[in-house]
């Protein structure tokens, strides 16, 4: 049996004509002359465009893989003996009196009013548009809000001097929005990937914006590839390549420029690099973050093999 639905997804506006074969996802009767509403047919015409959830930059997509076990299979088993989070007293162990606060950190703890925090909101339009609501909510809830990767590098108004970020209005807006509502519990975390590190983002946010929590990344959350976005203009593609990003196709190639101008393709792709982990180098990175003034250092790692999880925990 398959847990996924290969070759068709509402996320890519694709479907099959009839019931598909479980392994390939192709229609059981793949018809000659079919207009190709499936991912195979559409990607044959549109290429990599079909990789992106649609409409691009307006959605956050989740996996459709239907695992045989999920949270609905678990029940919380309570007890009438004793209490956790409140005194074991009927007049005290009431619903509004329960304490759900917690703290994170190995030694210098960060106190949080609630036992959860946000995912990383990086340079995507979805994250940028909804940042204020997320940051204010996190601040007044007393939890952590996370600024994801590439915010400075993707900021059109960022000032880059000698290959390092001198100012990023977008990063400044994000940090100050949280700080304006911060009341002492929780905090704002800034992640950084390979490109962010080369641009000096950790140094900038700690020194110029007062950020205390820095989070280096070992890849993405659920995949060991770098992040990618679409770029609608040649000028934007050239700007991001000049800032150190991988941009496909090469916007500096005159042939590519001419092809774009005459409409042969509509968008460029910006790709981030995947960090390569080496234990001694990682320790040096952490030491550097401490020296520049980061009070807390956390680690973002992807869903890798157990050996990598053990390496991260170590």
């Amino acid at each position: 049996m398959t847990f996924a639905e290969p070759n068709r997804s509402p996320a890519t506006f694709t479907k099959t004509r009839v019931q598909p074969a479980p392994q390939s996802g192709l229609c059981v009767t793949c018809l000659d002359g079919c207009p190709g509403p499936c991912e195979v047919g559409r990607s044959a015409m549109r290429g990599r465009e079909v990789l992106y959830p649609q409409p691009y930059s307006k959605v956050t997509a989740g996996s459709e893989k239907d695992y045989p076990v999920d949270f609905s299979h678990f029940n919380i088993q309570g007890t009438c003996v004793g209490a956790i989070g409140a005194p074991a007293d009927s007049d005290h162990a009431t619903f509004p009196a329960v304490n759900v606060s917690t703290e994170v950190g190995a030694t210098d703890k960060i106190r949080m009013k609630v036992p959860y925090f946000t995912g990383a909101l990086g340079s995507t339009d979805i994250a940028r548009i909804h940042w204020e609501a997320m940051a204010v909510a996190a601040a007044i809830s007393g939890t952590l809000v996370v600024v994801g990767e590439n915010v400075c590098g993707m900021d059109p108004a960022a000032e880059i001097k000698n290959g390092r970020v001198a100012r990023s209005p977008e990063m400044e807006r994000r940090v100050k929005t949280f700080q304006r509502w911060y009341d002492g519990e929780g905090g704002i975390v800034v992640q950084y990937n390979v490109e962010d590190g080369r641009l000096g983002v950790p140094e900038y946010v700690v020194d110029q914006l007062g950020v205390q929590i820095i989070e280096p990344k070992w890849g993405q959350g659920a995949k060991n590839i770098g992040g990618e976005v679409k770029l609608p203009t040649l000028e934007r593609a050239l700007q991001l390549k000049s800032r150190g990003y991988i941009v496909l196709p090469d916007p500096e190639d005159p042939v590519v420029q001419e092809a774009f101008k005459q409409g042969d393709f509509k968008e460029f792709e910006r790709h981030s690099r995947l960090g390569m982990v080496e234990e001694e180098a990682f320790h040096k990175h952490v030491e550097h973050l401490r020296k520049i003034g980061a009070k807390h250092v956390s680690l973002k790692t992807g869903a890798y093999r157990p050996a990598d999880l053990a390496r991260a925990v170590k």
Side-chain angles (χ1 to χ4, degrees):
M1 63 180 295
T2 178
F3 299 143
E5 292 189 357
N7 200 30
R8 57 177 178 171
S9 171
T12 54
F13 293 162
T14 53
K15 59 183 179 180
T16 52
R17 184 178 52 83
V18 297
Q19 184 68 25
Q23 297 300 319
S24 68
L26 294 171
C27 290
V28 172
T29 52
C30 186
L31 182 66
D32 182 19
C34 176
C38 66
E39 287 187 351
V40 170
R42 185 162 294 181
S43 62
M45 297 294 294
R46 303 305 305 173
R48 288 195 296 255
E49 288 181 13
V50 185
L51 290 173
Y52 293 87
Q54 299 294 331
Y56 180 74
S57 83
K58 296 185 180 298
V59 298
T60 297
S63 171
E64 296 174 278
K65 189 179 289 185
D66 189 8
Y67 290 99
V69 177
D70 62 34
F71 284 113
S72 71
H73 294 90
F74 295 88
N75 290 323
I76 297 175
Q77 299 296 315
T79 178
C80 59
V81 179
I84 298 173
D89 183 305
S90 298
D91 291 322
H92 290 87
T94 59
F95 181 82
V98 173
N99 179 11
V100 294
S101 65
T102 188
E103 54 187 18
V104 295
T107 53
D108 191 2
K109 306 288 188 180
I110 301 172
R111 285 196 51 78
M112 297 163 57
K113 293 179 182 178
V114 290
Y116 55 80
F117 55 91
T118 75
L121 290 90
S123 61
T124 64
D125 281 347
I126 286 285
R128 176 183 57 80
I129 292 168
H130 297 286
W131 173 260
E132 184 174 9
M134 293 290 289
V136 172
I140 63 179
S141 298
T143 189
L144 298 169
V145 66
V146 185
V147 181
E149 63 185 3
N150 298 317
V151 170
C152 291
M154 288 288 290
D155 183 355
E159 299 173 16
I160 310 294
K161 297 180 180 179
N162 299 319
R164 310 280 283 183
V165 60
R167 181 170 182 263
S168 168
E170 175 60 18
M171 179 65 82
E172 187 176 301
R173 176 184 76 92
R174 296 198 187 197
V175 173
K176 289 185 176 180
T177 298
F178 177 84
Q179 291 173 338
R180 194 175 302 122
W181 292 85
Y182 177 62
D183 67 353
E185 294 186 274
I188 183 167
V189 184
V190 174
Q191 289 184 347
Y192 75 96
N193 62 7
V194 174
E195 286 79 11
D196 292 325
R198 292 175 179 177
L199 286 170
V201 171
E203 292 83 354
Y204 167 67
V205 298
V206 171
D207 183 54
Q208 301 296 321
L209 303 180
V211 172
Q212 296 185 334
I213 313 171
I214 299 295
E215 185 168 273
K217 294 187 65 173
W218 288 2
Q220 302 288 78
K223 56 192 184 299
N224 50 341
I225 61 173
E228 57 185 87
V229 297
K230 291 185 176 185
L231 308 173
T233 67
L234 175 60
E235 292 72 23
R236 186 75 165 130
L238 288 167
Q239 180 188 57
L240 293 185
K241 183 172 182 182
S242 73
R243 293 180 178 181
Y245 289 101
I246 299 169
V247 180
L248 300 175
D250 184 359
E252 295 178 346
D253 186 333
V255 175
V256 171
Q257 292 183 2
E258 183 60 30
F260 181 78
K261 290 175 182 177
Q262 66 186 22
D264 291 349
F265 65 99
K266 305 292 186 183
E267 296 158 321
F268 292 87
E269 296 175 3
R270 185 234 70 197
H271 293 261
S272 300
R273 294 168 177 82
L274 179 65
M276 296 296 163
V277 180
E278 195 277 321
E279 185 171 348
E280 184 177 347
F282 177 69
H283 287 309
K284 290 181 179 178
H285 281 305
V286 174
E287 290 174 8
H288 172 69
L289 294 173
R290 299 287 192 200
K291 287 179 181 178
I292 65 173
K295 188 175 180 181
H296 306 278
V297 179
S298 57
L299 172 65
K300 164 71 176 295
T301 183
Y304 301 141
R305 63 189 68 182
D308 290 338
L309 174 60
R311 188 172 288 110
V313 172
K314 177 183 176 182

